Amino acid sequence: MGEFSLWHLILILGVILIFFGPSRLPGLGNSLGKAIRGFKSGMKGVADEEDNAVESAREVLPPGTDDEKTPINNRDKTKKDS
């Protein structure tokens, strides 16, 4: 019962065909393709903005202040050394 078979796909496509009709299916496919392309380009734009923000932050910070290169100087100050 948990498997998705070819018969399930045929049934779903049949219900969609009956619900929307054969004349509207190409328009739905076109709209879906545009939505997917828009989503991909939006995600690419977000990734480019993040890369630009990182690059501009590296230009602003003086050398040697990278988080990976900076040693951890803060120790737990809640513990009292005896």
Side-chain angles (χ1 to χ4, degrees):
M1 175 91 193
E3 289 186 30
F4 189 76
S5 68
L6 179 63
W7 293 111
H8 292 117
L9 183 63
I10 292 172
L11 181 67
I12 291 171
L13 291 176
V15 169
I16 290 173
L17 182 63
I18 291 170
F19 187 71
F20 290 109
S23 62
R24 292 186 61 193
L25 284 181
L28 288 173
N30 190 14
S31 298
L32 182 63
K34 285 181 182 179
I36 290 172
R37 281 191 298 269
F39 179 75
K40 284 182 180 180
S41 67
M43 292 303 294
K44 186 177 186 297
V46 168
D48 290 342
E49 288 175 7
E50 288 177 353
D51 291 341
N52 291 340
V54 168
E55 289 300 320
S56 64
R58 286 186 180 158
E59 292 172 2
V60 172
L61 293 174
T65 58
D66 248 359
D67 288 337
E68 297 170 358
K69 297 178 183 177
T70 305
I72 299 174
N73 292 327
N74 297 333
R75 297 191 183 205
D76 191 8
K77 295 181 180 181
T78 58
K79 294 181 182 178
K80 294 183 180 179
D81 294 330
S82 300

